[in-house]
PDB file of all heavy atoms in Angstrom:
ATOM      1  N   GLU Q  60     121.427  45.568  48.293  1.00 78.00           N
ATOM      2  CA  GLU Q  60     120.355  45.335  49.264  1.00 78.00           C
ATOM      3  C   GLU Q  60     119.205  44.533  48.653  1.00 78.00           C
ATOM      4  O   GLU Q  60     118.607  43.688  49.318  1.00 78.00           O
ATOM      5  CB  GLU Q  60     119.838  46.666  49.809  1.00 78.00           C
ATOM      6  CG  GLU Q  60     120.844  47.370  50.720  1.00 78.00           C
ATOM      7  CD  GLU Q  60     120.350  48.738  51.164  1.00 78.00           C
ATOM      8  OE1 GLU Q  60     119.269  49.160  50.684  1.00 78.00           O
ATOM      9  OE2 GLU Q  60     121.043  49.388  51.977  1.00 78.00           O
ATOM     10  N   PRO Q 164     123.107  26.935  56.903  1.00 94.00           N
ATOM     11  CA  PRO Q 164     124.258  27.200  57.766  1.00 94.00           C
ATOM     12  C   PRO Q 164     124.637  26.004  58.637  1.00 94.00           C
ATOM     13  O   PRO Q 164     125.715  26.005  59.248  1.00 94.00           O
ATOM     14  CB  PRO Q 164     123.771  28.365  58.636  1.00 94.00           C
ATOM     15  CG  PRO Q 164     122.291  28.224  58.679  1.00 94.00           C
ATOM     16  CD  PRO Q 164     121.907  27.686  57.330  1.00 94.00           C
ATOM     17  N   GLY Q 199     109.725  12.269  93.193  1.00 96.00           N
ATOM     18  CA  GLY Q 199     110.568  11.224  93.780  1.00 96.00           C
ATOM     19  C   GLY Q 199     110.103   9.819  93.440  1.00 96.00           C
ATOM     20  O   GLY Q 199     110.911   8.958  93.068  1.00 96.00           O
ATOM     21  N   ARG Q 243     105.108  -7.500  80.598  1.00 94.00           N
ATOM     22  CA  ARG Q 243     106.187  -8.072  81.416  1.00 94.00           C
ATOM     23  C   ARG Q 243     105.958  -7.752  82.895  1.00 94.00           C
ATOM     24  O   ARG Q 243     105.389  -6.728  83.245  1.00 94.00           O
ATOM     25  CB  ARG Q 243     107.552  -7.562  80.954  1.00 94.00           C
ATOM     26  CG  ARG Q 243     107.902  -6.140  81.326  1.00 94.00           C
ATOM     27  CD  ARG Q 243     109.248  -5.764  80.699  1.00 94.00           C
ATOM     28  NE  ARG Q 243     109.792  -4.509  81.180  1.00 94.00           N
ATOM     29  CZ  ARG Q 243     109.477  -3.312  80.691  1.00 94.00           C
ATOM     30  NH1 ARG Q 243     108.581  -3.222  79.705  1.00 94.00           N
ATOM     31  NH2 ARG Q 243     110.039  -2.224  81.176  1.00 94.00           N
ATOM     32  N   ALA Q 375     139.497 -22.168  91.999  1.00 80.00           N
ATOM     33  CA  ALA Q 375     140.887 -22.608  91.816  1.00 80.00           C
ATOM     34  C   ALA Q 375     141.450 -23.178  93.113  1.00 80.00           C
ATOM     35  O   ALA Q 375     142.157 -24.206  93.100  1.00 80.00           O
ATOM     36  CB  ALA Q 375     141.742 -21.435  91.334  1.00 80.00           C
TER      37      ALA Q 375
END
Side-chain angles (χ1 to χ4, degrees):
E60 290 176 355
R243 75 184 190 275

